[in-house]
Amino acid sequence: MKLVVATKNQGKLKEFKQLAEESPYKFIPIPEYIEDLPPETGNTFYDNALIKAKFISDSLGIPAIGDDSGLEVDALNGDPGIFSARYSETGLDKDNCLKLLSNLKEIQAPLRSARFKCCLVAYFEGKIIKSYGTLEGKIAENFKGSNGFGYDPIFVTASGLHLAEMDKKEKNKISHRSEAFRLLLKDLPQLFI
Ligand code: ITT
């Protein structure tokens, strides 16, 4: 059973491919001729994940899975949240991280708590299946590690390791995306009925 992963983010795609290895599903990327996903006009992770999944599924006529995710930082009242990808002017991973570190300059370690959130939506012909995952941690003061993507170099997990110091397998044992994925798998067969 095939699902298109409705993402332009290669980091997410790699993690999905690894997750799918332990499932009966095959995840495929969106074809190159689809240059852009629609604007993320929703107010929640769910709204935006649905926009992506529905657009790709309706365009290609096969089931699709959308991922909307981001980082909620307590000292910033939950920002950047659904705006995580568009936090800095360029939207580049490094610039997003630098802006976050700069905005937390005055905040001491115990108050740098944060969490990654992920909403997954699988969509096909009007049928919707959704799930959520969370990863608790805190924002570091410096970059560390070269794996992963996005905010991984500045996110410290309970083990003390930055997410970017973990390989894909280790990250997938604990991540917000893998939690949401495991929950999604329970209901996913309904999409194909
Ligand atoms: P698509 O919309 O094409 O899927 P995107 O990167 O724009 O790609 P989002 O709108 O969901 O995806 O934005 C997610 C943001 O949160 C983006 O800045 C990511 O780098 C970051 N993010 C999400 N999951 C992450 C993870 O596991 N590790 C590090 N950063 C993550």
Side-chain angles (χ1 to χ4, degrees):
M1 286 172 289
K2 274 192 207 162
L3 286 138
V4 183
V5 186
T7 184
K8 280 282 182 186
N9 183 320
Q10 295 308 306
K12 285 184 186 176
L13 190 63
K14 281 185 197 151
E15 290 182 15
F16 275 114
K17 284 197 167 152
Q18 158 104 41
L19 287 167
E21 279 174 17
E22 296 147 33
S23 83
Y25 300 96
K26 188 170 160 54
F27 284 177
I28 52 174
I30 50 182
E32 272 176 25
Y33 69 82
I34 298 185
E35 284 175 9
D36 286 312
L37 291 169
E40 295 182 16
T41 50
N43 292 318
T44 62
F45 291 119
Y46 169 75
D47 292 343
N48 289 332
L50 178 59
I51 287 171
K52 298 180 227 190
K54 185 172 183 326
F55 172 78
I56 290 296
S57 178
D58 287 347
S59 304
L60 302 178
I62 60 172
I65 181 167
D67 169 321
D68 203 61
S69 39
L71 194 53
E72 292 180 352
V73 179
D74 291 328
L76 302 176
N77 297 317
D79 279 350
I82 61 166
F83 302 108
S84 294
R86 300 161 266 170
Y87 194 43
S88 64
E89 247 172 63
T90 65
L92 294 173
D93 287 348
K94 188 166 182 214
D95 292 339
N96 288 342
C97 290
L98 285 171
K99 179 170 177 185
L100 187 56
L101 290 184
S102 160
N103 286 344
L104 292 177
K105 238 183 3 247
E106 311 295 333
I107 309 291
Q108 302 300 309
L111 298 176
R112 295 173 75 98
S113 52
R115 65 205 52 77
F116 275 116
K117 291 255 177 90
C118 174
C119 177
L120 296 181
V121 171
Y123 181 93
F124 187 47
E125 294 178 337
K127 280 179 277 188
I128 296 173
I129 300 187
K130 66 168 186 286
S131 65
Y132 293 91
T134 302
L135 174 63
E136 296 285 343
K138 57 185 185 175
I139 305 303
E141 283 170 20
N142 294 301
F143 287 68
K144 214 170 181 187
S146 53
N147 297 324
F149 66 97
Y151 296 89
D152 285 347
I154 60 165
F155 188 87
V156 189
T157 63
S159 69
L161 286 179
H162 292 217
L163 265 185
E165 293 181 279
M166 298 181 173
D167 63 25
K168 266 197 306 290
K169 258 196 169 153
E170 287 171 320
K171 181 177 171 185
N172 276 343
K173 278 187 199 150
I174 60 166
S175 84
H176 46 308
R177 185 160 296 105
S178 63
E179 181 184 32
F181 181 73
R182 277 188 278 276
L183 292 169
L184 193 80
L185 278 185
K186 292 185 191 156
D187 295 329
L188 207 47
Q190 292 168 28
L191 204 67
F192 295 85
I193 291 170

